[in-house]
């Protein structure tokens, strides 16, 4: 018995090393390719977006006095200097429509989305005369496309000047009057969408850490339920659940804050990291399976040679090997179901020949389903994996302790008693020896 346990332990350790190599390979395939794949996703779909409010300003020529000293004589010269004055933002009313569309590259899913943005901003001309105001909208990122662009002042389209990452135009605004700027576009992004309530100083968008907004409202509509707000961002003041997602509202009359409004797109179950974690955990599943097989066969007097355990370990390993190279081609759930069926079929069909159909289809199949399939599926239960596996382990311990409580293990591990030798001659009634 001790030699058999030692052989089974050696098989277990060799299989554990194989799983460690497989898990390392999966993570290497995932992240080595994933680092390059993310750049390709951004180049074809778009990068994370951070939208800033537009700015409005006008240029003014003012005299500038300069004092200089020439030959001990102080002189005053007047030059003309151009300064830029920003218009105060009176109100902001925004609508954002986020539509999540996951994309898979290799062993990773990427949270790509489409965004529809439109905003109505009011700027007041505080100067005492009519001014030609320059309105500038900085786009959220340079790595994106912007379709169906709307840019009007008081409902009148204006001629735009496009730069690398902004669009601007000018319009005449009377003294003391308020101009209404409407902007809108459709775009695409990745992972996160942000809106910064402050635009910083004129000419330095986003440069201020704390900003003040008046008469502000933002309505966000999502087509997904699993909403998540990043750290250091403002929570919505109102939430309304819809059939497909949420309607989120941020409403402020006079807000001073350094926080942004943001949404993080929910991630899909990642095939590569999931397959890697399951592979690294596989020795625990095999340990429970071997332990239960050893207990059952010892109780029933069934003989399983260490070579039989070797093939059982190989059938377990086939589950993870097939899963590692199937998840990047089909759904992770379908791949898991196929791998489970293949592995259970290998074990049942093999033990049917070694032990018998009843043991193979009942005890062995049930044990493999619990400790390979169910334990591995626990990794799909985000946040409950450890609890599920711990509960299964404790239940297993209880069942085995109850089933083996009356077994005299000393007798089980005792060497077999040799049978007394019998002389055939004595059996036939002949004398044991003949002396000549």
């Amino acid at each position: 018995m001790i030699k058999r346990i030692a052989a089974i332990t050696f098989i277990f350790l060799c299989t554990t090393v194989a799983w460690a190599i497989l898990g390392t390979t999966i993570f290497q395939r995932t992240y080595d390719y994933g680092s390059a794949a993310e750049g390709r996703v951004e180049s074809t779909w778009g990068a994370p977006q951070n939208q800033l409010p537009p700015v409005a300003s006008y240029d003014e020529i003012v005299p500038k006095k300069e004092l200089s000293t020439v030959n001990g004589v102080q002189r005053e010269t007047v030059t003309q200097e151009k300064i830029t004055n920003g218009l105060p933002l009176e109100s902001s009313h925004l609508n954002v429509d986020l539509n999540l569309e996951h994309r898979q590259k290799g062993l990773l899913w990427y949270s790509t989305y489409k965004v529809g943005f439109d905003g109505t901003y009011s700027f007041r001309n505080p100067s005492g005369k009519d001014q030609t105001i320059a309105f500038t909208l900085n786009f959220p990122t340079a790595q994106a496309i912007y379709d169906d662009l709307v840019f009007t002042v008081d409902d009148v389209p204006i001629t735009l000047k496009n730069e690398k990452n902004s669009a601007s135009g000018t319009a005449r605004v009377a003294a003391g009057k308020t101009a209404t700027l409407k902007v809108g576009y459709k775009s695409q992004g990745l992972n996160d969408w942000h809106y910064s309530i402050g635009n910083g100083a004129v000419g330095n968008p986003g440069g201020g850490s704390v900003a003040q907004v008046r008469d502000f409202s933002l309505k966000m509509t999502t087509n997904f339920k699993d909403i998540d707000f990043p750290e250091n961002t403002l929570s919505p003041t109102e939430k309304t659940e819809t059939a497909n997602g949420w309607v989120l509202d941020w409403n402020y009359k006079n807000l001073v804050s350094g926080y942004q409004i943001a949404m993080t797109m929910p991630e899909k179950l990642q095939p590569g990291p999931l397959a890697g974690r399951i592979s690294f955990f596989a020795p625990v599943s095999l340990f429970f399976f071997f332990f239960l097989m050893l207990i059952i066969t010892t109780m029933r007097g069934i003989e399983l040679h260490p070579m039989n355990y070797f093939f059982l370990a190989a059938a377990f390993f086939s589950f993870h090997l097939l899963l590692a190279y199937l998840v990047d081609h089909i759904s992770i759930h379908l791949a898991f179901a196929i791998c489970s069926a293949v592995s259970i079929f290998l074990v049942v069909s093999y033990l049917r020949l070694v032990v018998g159909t009843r043991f193979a289809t009942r005890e062995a199949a049930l044990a493999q389903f619990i400790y390979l399939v169910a334990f591995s599926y626990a990794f799909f239960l985000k946040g409950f994996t450890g609890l599920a596996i711990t509960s299964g382990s404790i239940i297993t311990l209880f069942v085995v302790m109850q089933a083996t409580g009356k077994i005299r293990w000393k007798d089980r591990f005792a060497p077999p008693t040799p049978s007394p030798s019998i002389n055939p001659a004595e059996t036939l009634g002949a004398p044991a020896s003949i002396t000549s």
Side-chain angles (χ1 to χ4, degrees):
M1 175 65 76
I2 295 177
K3 291 182 178 180
R4 187 170 66 165
I5 292 177
I8 295 173
T9 303
F10 177 74
I11 294 171
F12 173 80
L13 294 177
C14 291
T15 314
T16 299
V17 173
W19 269 315
I21 296 173
L22 178 62
T24 303
T25 303
I26 294 173
F27 278 110
Q28 186 175 10
R29 288 174 54 214
T30 299
Y31 294 110
D32 286 356
Y33 177 80
S35 58
E38 184 170 0
R40 288 196 290 268
V41 171
E42 288 188 2
S43 64
T44 57
W45 186 265
Q49 296 197 358
N50 181 13
Q51 180 62 63
L52 302 170
V55 294
S57 62
Y58 64 92
D59 294 332
E60 184 179 11
I61 305 298
V62 296
K64 181 180 180 181
K65 295 181 180 181
E66 294 182 354
L67 295 177
S68 61
T69 303
V70 179
N71 297 327
V73 178
Q74 190 175 42
R75 293 182 179 180
E76 180 182 286
T77 59
V78 179
T79 60
Q80 300 298 315
E81 182 183 21
K82 183 173 74 172
I83 62 173
T84 300
N85 299 298
L87 271 64
L89 180 59
E90 298 292 321
S91 65
S92 307
H93 301 288
L94 318 173
N95 291 286
V96 181
D97 187 21
L98 295 176
N99 289 283
L100 181 65
E101 297 182 7
H102 286 104
R103 294 284 188 277
Q104 184 178 13
K105 290 287 185 181
L107 293 173
L108 291 175
W109 282 96
Y110 293 91
S111 301
T112 55
Y113 61 88
K114 291 183 177 179
V115 55
F117 176 83
D118 68 80
T120 302
Y121 299 89
S122 297
F123 293 93
R124 182 175 55 85
N125 178 7
S127 67
K129 57 182 179 180
D130 297 353
Q131 299 287 353
T132 299
I133 307 298
F135 298 92
T136 303
L137 175 68
N138 289 279
F139 293 120
T141 179
Q143 287 184 296
I145 60 171
Y146 302 96
D147 187 27
D148 198 14
L149 181 63
V150 175
F151 204 110
T152 64
V153 176
D154 294 333
D155 295 324
V156 177
I158 60 177
T159 304
L160 292 179
K161 177 183 177 183
N162 295 310
E163 298 181 0
K164 181 180 179 181
N165 195 34
S166 65
S168 61
T170 60
R172 197 71 174 170
V173 180
K177 297 297 183 180
T178 298
T180 300
L181 172 66
K182 292 183 179 180
V183 296
Y185 57 79
K186 295 178 181 177
S187 185
Q188 301 172 160
L190 175 69
N191 295 338
D192 303 295
W193 186 88
H194 291 252
Y195 184 84
S196 297
I197 62 173
N199 54 29
V202 176
N204 181 26
S209 58
V210 177
Q212 181 179 19
V213 289
R214 299 181 181 86
D215 190 15
F216 178 90
S217 68
L218 187 150
K219 175 176 286 187
M220 180 185 293
T221 305
T222 72
N223 70 335
F224 49 90
K225 297 279 190 179
D226 189 14
I227 57 176
D228 185 23
F229 308 105
E231 294 182 359
N232 299 323
T233 58
L234 296 169
S235 298
T237 54
E238 294 181 17
K239 295 194 299 184
T240 304
E241 190 172 6
T242 63
N244 298 321
W246 292 88
V247 175
L248 309 172
D249 290 282
W250 288 262
N251 297 293
Y252 304 104
K253 293 182 178 179
N254 189 2
L255 173 69
V256 178
S257 175
Y259 292 145
Q260 296 179 331
I261 294 172
M263 174 64 67
T264 296
M265 305 301 140
E267 290 188 354
K268 208 168 184 178
L269 193 63
Q270 298 290 8
L274 180 66
R277 290 195 297 271
I278 291 176
S279 295
F280 281 130
F281 180 80
V284 178
S285 299
L286 185 63
F287 171 81
F288 277 104
F289 182 76
F290 275 6
F291 174 71
L292 206 61
M293 289 297 99
L294 187 63
I295 293 295
I296 294 175
T297 54
T298 301
M299 291 175 58
R300 296 190 178 181
I302 299 174
E303 182 69 25
L304 276 183
H305 192 270
M307 279 301 298
N308 301 133
Y309 282 93
F310 169 78
F311 286 113
L312 293 177
F316 264 62
F317 185 77
S318 68
F319 169 88
H320 303 87
L321 184 63
L322 182 59
L323 182 67
Y325 292 95
L326 199 59
V327 290
D328 53 348
H329 298 289
I330 61 176
S331 164
I332 179 64
H333 293 89
L334 179 58
F336 187 89
I338 293 175
C339 296
S340 301
V342 169
S343 183
I344 291 177
F345 172 77
L346 289 174
V347 170
V348 171
S349 61
Y350 176 67
L351 287 181
R352 176 182 60 87
L353 302 175
V354 176
V355 180
T357 303
R358 182 175 179 179
F359 178 82
T361 56
R362 293 179 61 181
E363 287 88 346
L366 179 61
Q368 186 182 11
F369 178 80
I370 293 174
Y371 299 112
L372 176 64
V373 179
F375 272 33
S376 298
Y377 192 78
F379 285 86
F380 287 79
L381 309 175
K382 187 176 180 180
F384 295 92
T385 302
L387 179 61
I389 294 175
T390 301
S391 301
S393 303
I394 293 175
I395 292 173
T396 299
L397 179 61
F398 171 78
V399 172
V400 172
M401 291 173 66
Q402 296 300 311
T404 61
K406 295 184 178 181
I407 294 179
R408 296 178 62 85
W409 293 105
K410 182 179 179 181
D411 296 340
R412 297 284 182 175
F413 283 89
T417 303
S419 301
S421 59
I422 301 176
N423 193 318
E426 292 178 354
T427 306
L428 295 174
S433 61
I434 301 176
T435 305
S436 57

